[in-house]
Amino acid sequence: TAAVDLSCVWHNLEYMVCTWRPGENASSDTNYTLYYWFDGLENSKKCSNYSVDQGIFTCIFNLSFLKVTNTYSAISILIRDDSEEIRPVCANKNPTTLVKPATPRRVTLSKINDEIHVEWSESETFPEKCLFYEVEYRNGDLDTAQIIKVIFHYLQLTDFFFCSVENNYTLIPSVDPNSKYIFKVRAKPKPECYSSKLHSDWSEEKSIGEKMDSTFYFVLIIAIPLTVAISTIILLVYLKRLKILILPPIPDPREILKRMFGEQNEDSQVSKKL
């Protein structure tokens, strides 16, 4: 009857989300309640913001500390029901293993010469230098897409691009000016600050540049040879006419003599008849 598969995630060092499933032998009307406590609270607190969806219980409660640090006391969690028939469940959670940063916001792109400048907003709830970011980008033309992995300005050509940096901006050099690029960013806790393996969700995709339409390339491939062929024909005709104007053909003397003697014979024949 006890709750099973308890899982908790500490979102952006601001609130905790815990989920669990009802026990196999628990009745369908079992009303589980979550209580939590950590060092500094006089009494345990009840989580009142909960919901049930397709048999999964979810409870959300605020969890923030006055002093932002990378060391926190363990959190004790109790899930039980008012009925004595439901077995309670207790668990201790190390919050540093549950940290999930918020999705980076306000991703902006700008293009300067052959470089793309990518910038995004940093989280205000984490200690300084306790997050690093991954930037993924791809060429909008999927047939020629390349992914470049960049770790501290080390470039490596692969099938996808990942750029790991500590700042909230990065530069992508030597981009194709005639291509469209699509970017997204996510944050990860640094292992020296937190033990969590969780990362934020990817930001909304942003794009820059314009992809050349394949129809344009097709028309271009047909138009160029056709234009060259027509131009060649026109040029040949023009050159032939130009040659005739500059160097007119020389008359054949034999033809001239034939015409001359032919005209004389005709005149003599006419005279005899008269």
Side-chain angles (χ1 to χ4, degrees), residues 128-141:
E128 187 178 0
K129 296 184 178 179
C130 276
L131 290 178
F132 72 96
Y133 299 88
E134 288 183 341
V135 177
E136 178 185 325
Y137 83 84
R138 59 186 173 85
N139 192 311
D141 187 354

Side-chain angles (χ1 to χ4, degrees), residues 90-120:
C90 295
N92 289 324
K93 299 288 186 180
N94 178 0
T96 65
T97 64
L98 311 175
V99 174
K100 180 177 181 177
T103 304
R105 305 295 181 185
R106 298 193 298 275
V107 178
T108 58
L109 308 175
S110 57
K111 195 171 183 181
I112 303 175
N113 297 326
D114 62 343
E115 293 182 338
I116 296 179
H117 186 273
V118 189
E119 188 173 358
W120 56 90

